[in-house]
Amino acid sequence: LKSVDLNSIDVRMVAGCGKSSNSVCALASRQGLWFAYPDLDEGEQLSRYSTLKDCHGRYWDFSTVCWCTETDYLAAISQKTIILLDFFTGKHRILENGASVSRSYIDMDWSTSHLCACSLDGLIAIYDIRKRKPPSHILDAKAIGSAQIRCSKSKPYVLASSHEGQPNTVNLWDIRTPSRPYATVICTASGNLGRFDWHPTVEDLLVTCSPSDDEVKLWHLSSSLSTPHATVPAPQHASLARFDAS
């Protein structure tokens, strides 16, 4: 376990995302996008930073950053804008939203070939980053407010989303038939849903939690959409559930 000293800069980080393949951690802030990574010449973990600015020389105000597991691309959200950055070349481009999204993006995740981002107006934009075009699909959850999204690791065309307007429900989407969710899962009887996750290798296995519950639920979606496959007691109210990537 190594650490990076952030005391040398007066910047408030709001989100971070590490990438195991290159030991780099990307950090989103209101003063740009920053990176912390090992200094190989020194043989130890040191802090090193760079920032990303717009064409007017101003810092981008970033709220979320996410690495692509398959490439060295990372995406960062600044309100209604998504920046796609190639870490090794330093080149970046702005993804067009095609005027479909009227409110800020709030969360995003990568599938094998697509970047999926959800916004405060209940829309989910699906980008094929190989093409310099607006989203290939726009999914409409018909629920405004804060949202989260996770792409299936074993089925690149499947994703799950949860929205503040549907606080205890996970919508399951297939981007090949994007007009509506192909299924919904009522994950908790009351209260908001915490952060959920797909299993990295087992198909249709989803883990959910809720700050109002004292248990974590495993859902084997190919078997049942109404009853958890298993429940795990939580020592306190859980707001985030994640599978180990290994």
Side-chain angles (χ1 to χ4, degrees), residues 14-200:
V14 296
C17 185
K19 187 171 178 65
S20 58
S21 61
N22 57 16
S23 302
V24 178
C25 183
L27 302 165
S29 79
R30 301 199 65 178
Q31 292 83 31
L33 186 63
W34 299 70
F35 299 100
Y37 53 96
D39 189 326
L40 301 180
D41 294 334
E42 296 295 330
E44 59 183 348
Q45 183 83 4
L46 297 176
S47 303
R48 207 173 160 192
Y49 308 93
S50 63
T51 58
L52 190 63
K53 298 181 181 180
D54 63 17
C55 59
H56 303 291
R58 297 182 298 232
Y59 292 110
W60 285 97
D61 181 357
F62 289 114
S63 60
T64 305
V65 62
C66 186
W67 286 98
C68 178
T69 57
E70 305 293 327
T71 69
D72 289 308
Y73 282 113
L74 64 91
I77 290 175
S78 178
Q79 299 180 16
K80 290 187 289 183
T81 302
I82 299 177
I83 303 291
L84 185 66
L85 174 71
D86 186 322
F87 175 74
F88 281 106
T89 66
K91 295 180 179 180
H92 71 279
R93 60 185 170 99
I94 297 175
L95 299 182
E96 301 179 46
N97 67 21
S100 300
V101 176
S102 61
R103 301 181 66 183
S104 296
Y105 288 110
I106 193 70
D107 194 23
M108 62 183 166
D109 196 22
W110 291 89
S111 73
T112 304
S113 58
H114 293 83
L115 175 66
C116 306
C118 56
S119 66
L120 288 169
D121 53 11
L123 299 181
I124 301 171
I126 312 296
Y127 289 94
D128 185 343
I129 63 170
R130 298 167 295 184
K131 303 175 181 178
R132 293 180 175 269
K133 294 183 177 181
S136 57
H137 300 90
I138 296 289
L139 316 180
D140 189 356
K142 296 180 173 56
I144 63 172
S146 184
Q148 59 172 311
I149 188 170
R150 296 292 285 176
C151 297
S152 171
K153 308 301 187 297
S154 55
K155 292 181 176 180
Y157 48 86
V158 170
L159 60 94
S161 70
S162 176
H163 305 265
E164 188 176 0
Q166 304 163 343
N168 59 352
T169 302
V170 170
N171 292 323
L172 303 177
W173 304 84
D174 186 326
I175 64 174
R176 299 171 299 180
T177 53
S179 59
R180 66 179 67 181
Y182 71 83
T184 59
V185 182
I186 308 299
C187 298
T188 180
S190 62
N192 292 323
L193 196 64
R195 303 287 290 181
F196 56 82
D197 196 21
W198 293 98
H199 193 279

